Amino acid sequence: MSETHYWLLRCGNQLLTTIDKTGGNVFPLGRAADFGDPKEVLLVGEWQGLPCYAAEIDNLPENISGELMTIRALFNLAGDEAIYLAGRAIQLLDWQNNHRYCGKCGTPTPMQPGEYSKLCSACGLVTYPRISPVVMVLVSRGDELLLARSPRFKPGVFSALAGYVEAGETLEQCAIREVREEVAIEIDNLRYFKSQPWPFPDSLMVAFFADYAGGVITPDAMEIEAANWFPRSALPALPEPVTIARQLIEAACRKS
Ligand SMILES: [Zn+2]
């Protein structure tokens, strides 16, 4: 790999970014040798018309001028295209790292050429990167929105309800079950909003609006620290703008 490419290099939980990020130019450009010839390099897409590769590095090469930045910080700073490319790189690097052996027979499984898959040469099992769908539901009741907080949130922040889709479940069934389990509220009129890959570690967030259809908020003691109806004009602190949760809540406020 002697040509010049863009690089998404992960060092620990941080990505190597350019020092000067004007114009959204966040990923370093160079040859593999410039970055210490990283191993197990993955092609993850194109950035500004050039191929973009991802790899893990143990240390920042001494002669490289760049800034290591947490992935969360990059998400808050970069544009959509850079965020999706970085997210894709992180998920593929995690997959490469965490699925090195066939889950059925234990044989080492190299990456297949031409697609993101691994084929076991011994038993024929084919595996793909893991993607975990999460349904998010913003319930409204007249002018009010149902927002809740998990103990994992930053202090004071409330968001829409969300939960992982279970095996054999439709997105719609998941939405109804999650709202029922987390706050004992019934919903109807589920409407799709949009989706967002979220690489912490491998979620695909699928967001919906829904209407209140019955019940009294009764938070699940394990998952929900607090839940309330909030008037659209007096919302609590919300998740960061990059999140689909924030976009969902803001879209609901614009609609009213
Ligand atoms: Zn196998």
Side-chain angles (χ1 to χ4, degrees):
M1 297 178 73
S2 58
E3 303 88 13
T4 296
H5 303 298
Y6 281 103
W7 290 88
L8 265 155
L9 296 170
R10 181 165 68 174
C11 186
N13 187 35
Q14 296 187 302
L15 285 179
L16 179 63
T17 63
T18 51
I19 297 277
D20 177 6
K21 297 182 179 62
T22 49
N25 192 21
V26 291
F27 303 128
L29 183 66
R31 295 166 301 138
D34 298 333
F35 303 102
D37 283 315
K39 303 287 183 289
E40 298 188 317
V41 169
L42 291 169
L43 175 64
V44 294
E46 277 197 356
W47 175 249
Q48 301 187 348
L50 287 176
C52 188
Y53 289 88
E56 304 275 1
I57 52 175
D58 294 331
N59 301 294
L60 188 59
E62 281 179 13
N63 53 343
I64 291 298
S65 76
E67 180 185 11
L68 285 173
M69 177 174 275
T70 67
I71 292 152
R72 286 273 188 173
L74 179 69
F75 266 47
N76 286 325
L77 173 145
D80 282 354
E81 195 189 347
I83 288 172
Y84 288 130
L85 195 60
R88 179 180 170 88
I90 293 158
Q91 283 185 244
L92 290 171
L93 288 172
D94 282 343
W95 178 60
Q96 181 166 260
N97 286 343
N98 300 341
H99 296 82
R100 293 186 174 279
Y101 299 91
C102 174
K104 190 174 178 186
C105 77
T107 301
T109 46
M111 193 76 90
Q112 285 288 98
E115 65 171 16
Y116 299 114
S117 71
K118 295 187 175 199
L119 168 65
C120 176
S121 59
C123 77
L125 184 71
V126 181
T127 54
Y128 298 92
R130 189 174 72 176
I131 298 168
S132 305
V134 173
V135 163
M136 174 170 286
V137 191
L138 180 60
V139 186
S140 57
R141 184 180 69 176
D143 176 52
E144 297 171 312
L145 302 176
L146 201 178
L147 300 176
R149 59 171 280 111
S150 144
R152 295 174 287 110
F153 289 3
K154 287 181 184 166
V157 170
F158 281 71
S159 186
L161 297 167
Y164 284 102
V165 179
E166 294 184 347
E169 192 173 51
T170 66
L171 300 176
E172 294 84 352
Q173 289 167 340
C174 176
I176 293 166
R177 176 183 57 74
E178 277 294 335
V179 177
R180 192 179 285 156
E181 284 179 3
E182 292 190 352
V183 290
I185 292 291
E186 301 299 320
I187 57 172
D188 64 13
N189 196 20
L190 202 61
R191 286 101 66 205
Y192 176 70
F193 173 54
K194 64 180 183 180
S195 63
Q196 180 185 49
W198 193 244
F200 304 104
D202 51 28
S203 297
L204 173 64
M205 313 298 293
V206 189
F208 294 88
F209 302 105
D211 292 338
Y212 170 77
V216 174
I217 292 178
T218 311
D220 174 83
M222 296 293 287
E223 293 191 43
I224 304 293
E225 193 173 88
N228 274 306
W229 295 107
F230 292 91
R232 284 172 166 81
S233 58
L235 295 178
L238 299 174
E240 289 155 348
V242 68
T243 61
I244 196 170
R246 175 69 166 268
Q247 295 162 25
L248 178 69
I249 295 163
E250 289 186 347
C253 291
R254 281 197 301 274
K255 279 165 55 167
S256 62

